[in-house]
Amino acid sequence: MICLYRLLLAISFGLLLGCDSDSQAARGFSLPKGNPGAGKLVYTQLQCNNCHSLPSVPQDTERVAGTPSVTLGGEVSSVQTYGQLVSSIINPSHRIAKGYPLAEVADNGQSRMRNYNEVMTVKELIDLVSYLQPQYQLRAYEHSRYRMYYP
Ligand code: HEC
């Protein structure tokens, strides 16, 4: 009986561990160190700013009407890992950015982001991610404020 109990415990624990959250889906994936300066050049050369704004690079003002406008960088509530950034760039439909009207960012569930997989080199991707990642800051945890209590 004890054995069965242990077995059940082991199985449920195993299931718990086997339940990888999205942030762990990139386990075992490691990106070499990139050059953020070169990444900034890639960002403008590939015209990411047609559809995006960064704290340091505003969106193209001469954009055509109907072009999406998605903010990159800034404060986020969970860390933007390089795994997430790489996925957003080479497989944008994997997860559609939150907080925008769906029609602005997607068509039939597919991201409206341009596909760069035929034109971007791996080095460009690495540099781009090392340029973008430090521009995300983790939003500071808000402590509850308690008023002073005078008896
Ligand atoms: C034609 C417009 C367009 C261009 C050009 C474009 N993107 Fe995007 N991008 C989008 C849209 C729309 C989204 C939101 C939908 C999604 O999550 O895929 C997006 C999402 C992203 C996200 C995820 C944002 C989030 O909050 O989840 C990243 C990172 C990103 N793009 C990087 C880039 C980079 C780097 C380039 C240049 C190499 C680029 N994009 C070029 C349209 C574009």
Side-chain angles (χ1 to χ4, degrees):
M1 198 58 200
I2 290 176
C3 273
L4 183 66
Y5 169 72
R6 279 200 184 164
L7 189 70
L8 285 177
L9 201 72
I11 291 174
S12 47
F13 196 62
L15 284 177
L16 209 71
L17 290 179
C19 228
D20 260 359
S21 73
D22 210 30
S23 66
Q24 288 168 326
R27 191 182 288 162
F29 174 76
S30 163
L31 208 63
K33 207 166 185 288
N35 176 341
K40 184 172 186 182
L41 275 180
V42 175
Y43 186 84
T44 44
Q45 276 162 4
L46 294 182
Q47 297 171 328
C48 307
N49 56 341
N50 276 1
C51 306
H52 292 294
S53 68
L54 270 173
S56 53
V57 184
Q59 185 163 0
D60 261 355
T61 42
E62 285 155 34
R63 69 193 177 102
V64 188
T67 309
S69 177
V70 175
T71 308
L72 303 182
E75 285 202 340
V76 288
S77 48
S78 61
V79 188
Q80 196 78 17
T81 65
Y82 63 68
Q84 288 166 325
L85 285 171
V86 168
S87 306
S88 298
I89 297 169
I90 66 174
N91 184 13
S93 301
H94 164 72
R95 187 191 62 86
I96 302 293
K98 294 191 194 101
Y100 301 91
L102 198 58
E104 180 176 351
V105 292
D107 260 337
N108 282 328
Q110 297 296 302
S111 170
R112 290 185 59 206
M113 176 153 154
R114 191 177 299 156
N115 187 315
Y116 290 96
N117 292 2
E118 303 271 358
V119 294
M120 192 188 292
T121 67
V122 175
K123 183 180 182 307
E124 284 173 332
L125 176 68
I126 295 166
D127 291 340
L128 199 49
V129 169
S130 70
Y131 168 61
L132 291 177
Q133 199 188 4
Q135 304 200 45
Y136 286 88
Q137 288 103 36
L138 192 60
R139 191 174 294 134
Y141 177 76
E142 281 258 352
H143 289 277
S144 329
R145 284 169 199 265
Y146 296 102
R147 254 188 266 150
M148 200 73 100
Y149 175 70
Y150 299 102

